[in-house]
C-alpha cells in the first residue's frame, strides 16, 4: 500500500509482522531502546511526512514500558509531519480501570485516552474493550472490533457436536458477551454466580420473625436505654391451645397488632417458606449450588472453613430479647437493610455490580475462605463454553469449570477468551485442572512460543486478518462496519 507506514512496538512484534505480511508490506524501520537510567528512546528511521502512520502496540508483561513507548512513538511521528496517526492496540492497557472502585480511586483508562490524544493520535483501533463505554473517553474516533466472529468460526470448525453445547458466563458481569455468542451460534446459555456471604451451616430462620419498630418520640415516652429506631425479635408460637402450654394474652396480641398493622388478604405476599412449598416449576432443576472453599469446589460434608467476609460485624452479634442470639445470616440481613456497611458500595453502586474478572472489586476486600457458587442452566452431558473477554487470574475459571463438571455433569469444558494475559502461574494452574479440557484465546496479547509449545491445552486463534483489513479499509476511506459482522 502506498502512502502507509506501519511501525511495530516491542510488545508484540510477531503480530505486526503477520499483519504486514497480509497487507503485502513490511514494518517500517524504527529504533527502540532505553538509556542507562531506564528512559525510553525512540528514533524513527523513515520519512513519515504526509504519510498515514499505523503504530501496532498491544499490552505486554511490561505494560508501563509499552504505554510509554507508544506515546513517544506517536509524538515522534507527529513531529515528523505525519498526515494521520492511528494507534492499533489489540489489547487496550488499563481497560479494567474504567470506573472508580472507591471514592479516592482513579479512572486510569480515561487518563490513558487523554494521554494518547495529547500525544497526537488521530484514530484508535482496538479489540474487545473490557467496557465498550470506554469509547466515550476519547476525543478521537475509536473502532472497537470484535473477536466473536473468529471465535464462532473456530467453534464451528473444530468442536465436535457444538450444536448441542451450552455457552456459560462465569460471573454476572459477562452475561452480555455470553448471550451475544450464544445468539450467533444459536445455542442455549447459562451463568455461574458466586455468593460472598454464605451463611454458616446449621443456622435457620424458620422460628423467628423480625419486626422493625418506628416509635414516635412525641407521643410515646421512651426509656433512656432505648433508641427511637430499634429491632425487636418476636418468636413465633407454633403450639396450639391443646398442648397445655401458655398462650399470649390479649394485651400482647394488641401490642403486636399495633406494631404490625393488618395487611389486606389480596395484597398479602406469601412468605419464603410458603413460596418454596408451592413452587413447582420444573426449571428449578436447572439451578445447582455448591460450596467453594479457597477457590475449589468441595463436597457438602466438607468441614466448615471458618467465618466468611459476609459476617456482619467483628464485634458482638445482635441479640434477641431475653438474651438469645440472632444467627449471623439474620444479622447480615438486618444490617444490610438498616445501615450502610463501609466498603460494600462504590459511589452508590455495589462492588459486585459490574465485576467480570477476578481482579475487579478485590482491592481492599478480604479473601473469603468459603463461598456459595450457583449454576443456572442445564449442562448435563453437554459441551460447555465458558466465555469472558480476558484470562488473567485463574480462580474464577477453575471454579466455574469444576462447578459445571462436578455439579452440572458437563462432559467437556472449553475456556474461551479474547485476551490471554495469564498472570502469575494461571496458565499452569488451568493446565493442571482436570475439569478444563481446552483453553482458547486469540493472539492479541503476546504469548511466548515456548509457553505455547509446552502447553497441551492452549489454542491460539490468529486475528491478524481482522487488524490488516481494518487498516486497509481505514487507509482507503472504506467503511469498517462489515468487520463487526463477518460472514462465516
Amino acid at each position: 500500500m502506498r502512502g502507509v507506514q506501519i511501525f511495530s512496538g516491542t510488545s508484540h512484534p510477531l503480530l505486526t509482522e503477520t499483519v504486514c505480511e497480509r497487507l503485502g508490506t513490511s514494518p517500517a524501520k524504527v529504533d527502540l531502546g532505553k538509556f542507562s537510567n531506564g528512559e525510553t528512546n525512540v528514533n524513527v528511521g523513515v520519512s513519515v511526512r504526509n504519510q498515514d502512520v499505523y503504530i501496532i502496540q498491544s499490552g505486554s508483561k511490561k505494560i508501563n514500558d509499552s504505554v510509554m513507548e507508544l506515546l513517544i512513538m506517536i509524538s515522534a511521528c507527529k513531529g515528523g509531519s505525519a498526515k494521520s496517526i492511528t494507534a492499533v492496540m489489540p489489547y487496550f492497557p488499563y481497560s479494567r480501570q474504567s470506573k472508580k472502585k472507591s471514592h479516592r480511586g482513579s479512572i486510569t483508562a480515561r487518563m490513558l485516552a487523554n494521554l494518547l490524544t495529547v500525544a497526537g493520535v488521530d484514530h484508535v483501533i482496538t479489540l474487545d474493550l473490557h467496557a465498550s463505554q470506554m469509547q466515550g473517553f476519547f476525543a478521537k474516533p475509536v473502532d472497537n472490533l470484535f473477536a466473536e466472529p473468529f471465535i464462532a468460526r473456530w467453534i464451528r470448525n473444530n468442536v465436535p457436536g457444538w450444536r448441542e453445547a451450552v455457552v456459560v458466563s462465569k460471573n454476572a458481569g459477562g452475561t452480555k458477551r455470553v448471550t451475544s455468542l450464544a445468539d450467533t451460534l444459536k445455542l442455549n446459555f447459562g451463568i455461574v454466580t458466586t455468593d460472598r456471604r454464605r451463611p454458616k451451616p446449621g443456622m435457620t430462620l424458620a422460628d423467628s420473625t423480625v419486626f422493625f419498630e418506628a416509635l414516635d418520640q412525641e407521643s410515646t415516652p421512651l426509656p433512656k436505654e432505648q433508641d427511637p429506631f430499634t429491632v425487636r425479635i418476636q418468636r413465633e408460637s407454633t403450639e396450639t391451645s391443646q398442648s397445655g402450654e401458655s398462650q399470649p394474652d390479649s394485651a400482647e396480641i394488641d401490642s403486636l397488632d399495633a406494631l404490625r398493622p393488618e395487611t389486606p388478604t389480596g395484597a398479602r405476599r406469601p412468605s419464603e417458606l410458603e413460596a418454596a412449598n408451592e413452587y413447582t416449576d420444573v426449571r428449578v432443576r436447572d439451578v445447582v449450588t455448591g460450596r467453594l472453599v479457597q477457590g475449589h469446589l468441595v463436597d457438602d460434608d466438607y468441614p466448615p472453613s471458618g467465618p466468611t467476609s459476609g459476617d456482619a460485624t467483628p464485634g458482638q452479634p445482635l441479640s434477641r430479647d431475653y438474651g438469645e442470639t440472632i444467627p449471623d445470616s439474620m444479622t447480615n440481613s438486618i444490617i444490610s437493610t438498616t445501615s450502610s456497611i463501609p466498603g460494600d458500595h462504590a459511589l452508590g453502586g455495589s462492588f459486585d455490580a459490574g465485576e467480570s474478572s477476578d481482579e475487579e472489586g478485590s482491592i481492599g476486600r478480604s479473601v473469603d475462605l468459603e463461598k456459595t457458587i450457583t449454576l443456572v442452566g442445564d449442562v448435563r452431558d453437554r459441551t460447555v463454553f465458558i466465555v469472558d473477554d480476558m484470562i488473567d487470574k485463574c480462580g474464577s475459571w477453575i471454579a466455574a469449570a469444576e462447578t459445571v463438571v462436578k455439579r452440572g455433569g458437563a462432559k467437556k469444558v472449553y475456556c474461551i477468551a479474547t485476551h490471554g494475559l495469564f498472570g502469575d502461574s494461571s496458565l499452569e494452574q488451568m493446565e493442571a485442572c482436570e475439569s478444563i479440557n481446552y483453553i482458547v484465546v486469540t493472539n492479541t496479547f503476546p504469548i511466548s512460543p515456548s509457553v505455547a509449545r509446552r502447553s497441551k491445552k492452549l489454542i491460539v486463534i490468529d486475528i491478524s486478518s481482522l487488524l490488516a483489513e481494518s487498516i486497509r479499509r481505514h487507509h482507503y476511506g472504506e467503511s469498517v462496519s462489515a468487520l463487526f459482522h463477518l460472514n462465516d
Side-chain angles (χ1 to χ4, degrees):
M1 297 192 313
R2 301 180 62 178
V4 173
Q5 298 291 349
I6 300 178
F7 294 95
S8 173
T10 58
S11 65
H12 205 338
L14 181 60
L15 178 61
T16 305
E17 293 176 3
T18 308
V19 170
C20 290
E21 182 179 350
R22 292 183 179 275
L23 293 173
T25 183
S26 58
K29 183 180 179 181
V30 59
D31 295 327
L32 303 173
K34 287 182 177 294
F35 292 114
S36 58
N37 62 349
E39 294 179 356
T40 300
N41 179 35
V42 174
N43 184 20
V44 178
V46 297
S47 174
V48 296
R49 184 176 297 274
N50 203 31
Q51 298 278 308
D52 287 334
V53 173
Y54 296 88
I55 304 174
I56 301 179
Q57 180 82 313
S58 186
S60 66
K61 298 296 182 181
K62 299 179 180 179
I63 192 70
N64 294 326
D65 290 341
S66 299
V67 169
M68 201 63 201
E69 186 177 90
L70 174 62
L71 295 174
I72 296 176
M73 292 176 69
I74 293 174
S75 178
C77 293
K78 190 71 173 179
S81 302
K83 180 181 179 180
S84 67
I85 301 174
T86 301
V88 183
M89 310 170 69
Y91 169 72
F92 192 86
Y94 293 96
S95 60
R96 281 173 292 188
Q97 300 186 43
S98 59
K99 60 183 179 181
K100 281 191 175 184
K101 305 298 192 304
S102 64
H103 290 279
R104 288 181 294 276
S106 63
I107 307 178
T108 313
R110 183 180 63 183
M111 183 194 71
L112 180 56
N114 294 336
L115 289 174
L116 290 171
T117 303
V118 171
V121 76
D122 299 298
H123 192 85
V124 175
I125 298 175
T126 186
L127 195 68
D128 278 347
L129 284 173
H130 187 61
S132 59
Q133 300 91 324
M134 285 173 53
Q135 298 176 74
F137 293 165
F138 293 84
K140 303 294 182 178
V142 178
D143 287 334
N144 180 30
L145 305 177
F146 301 133
E148 178 185 294
F150 286 80
I151 295 174
R153 181 185 302 169
W154 182 89
I155 290 175
R156 291 190 180 103
N157 297 332
N158 296 277
V159 179
W162 64 269
R163 297 181 185 276
E164 303 299 325
V166 179
V167 188
V168 174
S169 175
K170 66 182 182 66
N171 48 45
T175 52
K176 185 176 181 180
R177 186 177 298 106
V178 165
T179 53
S180 177
L181 180 61
D183 290 341
T184 301
L185 297 173
K186 303 298 187 292
L187 299 178
N188 293 330
F189 63 91
I191 183 173
V192 174
T193 60
T194 303
D195 182 13
R196 290 180 172 83
R197 293 178 292 274
R198 185 182 191 276
K200 292 183 178 180
M203 300 294 184
T204 178
L205 304 181
D207 61 342
S208 302
T209 303
V210 182
F211 298 98
F212 293 89
E213 298 183 36
L215 302 180
D216 189 355
Q217 295 183 359
E218 296 181 359
S219 59
T220 306
L222 292 176
K224 294 182 179 180
E225 64 274 7
Q226 292 187 0
D227 295 327
F229 295 92
T230 61
V231 178
R232 292 285 184 266
I233 307 299
Q234 176 67 33
R235 194 174 188 84
E236 292 183 357
S237 178
T238 57
E239 298 83 357
T240 60
S241 57
Q242 284 107 2
S243 61
E245 298 184 9
S246 60
Q247 299 294 324
D249 55 19
S250 59
E252 294 179 355
I253 295 177
D254 293 340
S255 62
L256 290 178
D257 290 340
L259 291 175
R260 183 175 60 181
E262 182 64 24
T263 303
T265 305
R268 181 179 178 272
R269 299 176 60 185
S271 65
E272 294 182 1
L273 293 178
E274 292 173 347
N277 293 332
E278 296 178 2
Y279 186 75
T280 58
D281 196 333
V282 294
R283 289 175 297 179
V284 75
R285 301 173 185 173
D286 296 340
V287 180
V288 181
T289 60
R291 294 177 59 194
L292 203 65
V293 177
Q294 295 183 349
H296 293 276
L297 197 70
V298 298
D299 297 331
D300 291 335
D301 56 354
Y302 189 86
S305 58
T308 64
S309 63
D311 295 340
T313 54
Q316 295 294 330
L318 296 177
S319 60
R320 301 181 185 180
D321 294 339
Y322 314 110
E324 294 181 324
T325 302
I326 303 176
D328 291 338
S329 55
M330 179 181 289
T331 304
N332 297 336
S333 176
I334 294 173
I335 291 185
S336 63
T337 305
T338 59
S339 65
S340 176
I341 303 177
D344 194 43
H345 61 85
L347 300 181
S350 170
F351 269 115
D352 301 333
E355 291 187 16
S356 58
S357 64
D358 295 289
E359 289 76 17
E360 288 196 50
S362 60
I363 299 177
R365 301 173 64 182
S366 60
V367 178
D368 302 331
L369 297 178
E370 182 170 344
K371 307 174 186 177
T372 297
I373 192 166
T374 304
L375 167 65
V376 181
D378 183 15
V379 298
R380 185 166 300 279
D381 298 327
R382 297 188 181 186
T383 299
V384 172
F385 304 133
I386 303 177
V387 179
D388 207 346
D389 66 321
M390 68 179 69
I391 301 178
D392 191 355
K393 291 185 178 180
C394 61
S396 59
W397 292 91
I398 293 177
E402 292 182 347
T403 301
V404 298
V405 171
K406 297 180 181 179
R407 292 286 182 173
K411 63 179 182 180
K412 190 173 292 186
V413 173
Y414 291 76
C415 293
I416 303 175
T418 302
H419 312 294
L421 277 62
F422 299 118
D424 298 332
S425 60
S426 57
L427 181 58
E428 290 77 7
Q429 295 180 41
M430 295 180 72
E431 288 272 348
C433 179
E434 298 179 355
S435 300
I436 298 177
N437 299 96
Y438 296 98
I439 306 167
V440 183
V441 297
T442 68
N443 59 342
T444 58
F445 197 88
I447 299 176
S448 172
S450 60
V451 173
R453 288 192 300 266
R454 189 168 59 250
S455 175
K456 297 180 180 180
K457 299 180 179 180
L458 181 63
I459 299 173
V460 181
I461 301 175
D462 182 24
I463 47 84
S464 59
S465 60
L466 178 63
L467 298 177
E469 183 63 14
S470 65
I471 292 175
R472 189 194 69 81
R473 286 173 177 263
H474 180 263
H475 172 64
Y476 288 113
E478 300 178 6
S479 173
V480 298
S481 59
L483 300 181
F484 296 101
H485 305 284
L486 296 178
N487 296 325
D488 297 323

